[in-house]
Amino acid sequence: MNSNKKNIAKEPSEVYQTIPDVNAQEFHPVLVKLLEKSIQEANEGKLIPHDEVMKRAKEKFPFLK
């Protein structure tokens, strides 16, 4: 065993794209419908505010306080 050698990690020569190009991907039709439904419900005001959700959670699970 040669003690002069060091453990060297070498990067591959390929360059990787770190940010996915969302526009290049096609979404599954079911996902598209779910997103459209969620956006519609949000626009209609059918959402529960964060404070109300946290209040309900703390009432149901007191150990979260």
Side-chain angles (χ1 to χ4, degrees):
M1 184 170 176
N2 189 351
S3 60
N4 292 333
K5 281 189 172 183
K6 294 181 180 181
N7 291 332
I8 299 173
K10 294 184 179 182
E11 292 291 325
S13 60
E14 296 88 3
V15 177
Y16 295 100
Q17 183 178 359
T18 57
I19 301 173
D21 185 7
V22 176
N23 295 330
Q25 298 175 359
E26 289 189 25
F27 296 113
H28 193 278
V30 173
L31 177 60
V32 172
K33 288 186 181 201
L34 286 172
L35 289 171
E36 289 171 350
K37 180 179 178 186
S38 297
I39 292 169
Q40 179 184 2
E41 288 177 354
N43 291 336
E44 293 173 356
K46 294 182 178 178
L47 301 178
I48 301 171
H50 176 75
D51 294 338
E52 181 65 26
V53 171
M54 293 307 296
K55 179 183 170 191
R56 290 180 188 180
K58 288 178 181 179
E59 288 173 356
K60 189 171 183 177
F61 306 103
F63 57 87
L64 293 177
K65 293 183 180 182

